[in-house]
Amino acid sequence: MTYTRMPVATPSLIHVVLVITLSHISPNDALIRVVYNHNGISQDFEALPSHFGPQLYREGLLGYLVEAKPANACHPIRAPPPSNGSSVAFVALIQRYDCSFTAKVLQAQKAGYHAAIIHNVNSQALVTMLSENEDAKGQVGIPSVFIGESASTQLKRIFHYDPTAYIILIPDCHWLSCWDSRHTCQTYPQKARQVLPKQTFPCLPSQCHLFSSVHYLLLGLTLMIWMVALYVLCCL
């Protein structure tokens, strides 16, 4: 009887499988954290960053939320309230529809806001904001994110209930991209980010999840199945 030895799975093959699987996992989500009630109570909201303008900074952006007037920001909106210091940042909450995403963000930028949050209407779906106008896209100098309608309703209630509440916009990372960093601190922005005020805030815990969605969980299970299959081919 002749036995045929199965080909041994080499480390390079395992590496290829790992790279293919992980290539589908990217930190494309964002997180809105609201701190209120004078005692550190916080609440997180899921968001999607836009595909135009600067991305959210790893150290986060801390500021105060202001509802845009007019709400859709298709025309010049009211400027944020005056501040006594340059370290105060303001974030505009804008309603979807009636004009392009870039037009809304540019109106917020021109009014003096440092970031924009655009919310859905009659829907909880998160939409990836794109720009078809290259000229307008190149003018955007502040980050922006998209949230569902219920999240916007809760944000309005919090800020009406507690005027001292503040908001933190941070990129939401999965465990593969942030397992080696437990804390991040707000620092002075780089020269390319001069549209933002200089800020120094206490260290903020990174928001890291083992798997932030069912999609990532399925990818993890797929990776495990591949590893088991390679082990069987190698050792049995």
Side-chain angles (χ1 to χ4, degrees):
M1 181 178 296
T2 302
Y3 294 93
T4 301
R5 182 176 178 83
M6 298 295 293
V8 178
T10 63
S12 59
L13 177 59
I14 297 176
H15 177 72
V16 169
V17 174
L18 182 64
V19 169
I20 293 176
T21 304
L22 299 186
S23 64
H24 293 83
I25 302 180
S26 57
N28 290 330
D29 297 331
L31 187 72
I32 299 175
R33 176 167 298 165
V34 182
V35 182
Y36 59 101
N37 206 22
H38 303 284
N39 56 5
I41 294 179
S42 64
Q43 188 172 354
D44 294 343
F45 300 92
E46 294 183 4
L48 279 182
S50 66
H51 278 204
F52 57 85
Q55 297 300 305
L56 292 175
Y57 319 134
R58 182 176 179 271
E59 56 275 5
L61 170 67
L62 187 152
Y64 297 95
L65 188 69
V66 179
E67 294 182 51
K69 296 185 183 301
N72 60 10
C74 292
H75 302 284
I77 63 176
R78 185 182 303 173
S83 60
N84 296 327
S86 60
S87 62
V88 178
F90 290 98
V91 180
L93 180 63
I94 302 172
Q95 179 179 295
R96 187 188 180 186
Y97 294 126
D98 304 321
C99 60
S100 67
F101 291 125
T102 49
K104 296 174 183 291
V105 178
L106 282 174
Q107 291 293 356
Q109 178 177 313
K110 293 176 182 177
Y113 290 91
H114 306 98
I117 299 174
I118 300 177
H119 68 85
N120 214 335
V121 178
N122 299 325
S123 174
Q124 314 310 325
L126 299 183
V127 175
T128 300
M129 297 187 292
L130 304 174
S131 175
E132 298 179 356
N133 189 325
E134 291 298 325
D135 292 336
K137 179 179 179 180
Q139 298 176 30
V140 177
I142 63 173
S144 56
V145 299
F146 190 92
I147 61 175
E149 184 180 48
S150 62
S152 69
T153 301
Q154 294 184 60
L155 287 175
K156 294 175 185 177
R157 289 176 179 173
I158 292 173
F159 279 84
H160 288 165
Y161 163 72
D162 187 353
T164 64
Y166 59 88
I167 196 170
I168 307 172
L169 302 182
I170 53 178
D172 187 18
C173 53
H174 53 76
W175 66 281
L176 292 167
S177 64
C178 59
W179 64 272
D180 59 340
S181 177
R182 296 183 179 180
H183 296 85
T184 57
C185 302
Q186 186 76 10
T187 58
Y188 289 95
Q190 299 177 3
K191 292 183 179 179
R193 300 170 179 169
Q194 290 180 350
V195 294
L196 293 175
K198 296 180 178 180
Q199 305 179 66
T200 53
F201 298 112
C203 292
L204 302 173
S206 298
Q207 185 68 16
C208 305
H209 305 284
L210 181 60
F211 290 104
S212 60
S213 66
V214 175
H215 178 67
Y216 293 159
L217 180 59
L218 292 177
L219 288 174
L221 291 175
T222 302
L223 176 61
M224 292 178 61
I225 293 173
W226 272 100
M227 298 301 293
V228 171
L230 291 174
Y231 175 80
V232 171
L233 291 175
C234 175
C235 303
L236 297 182

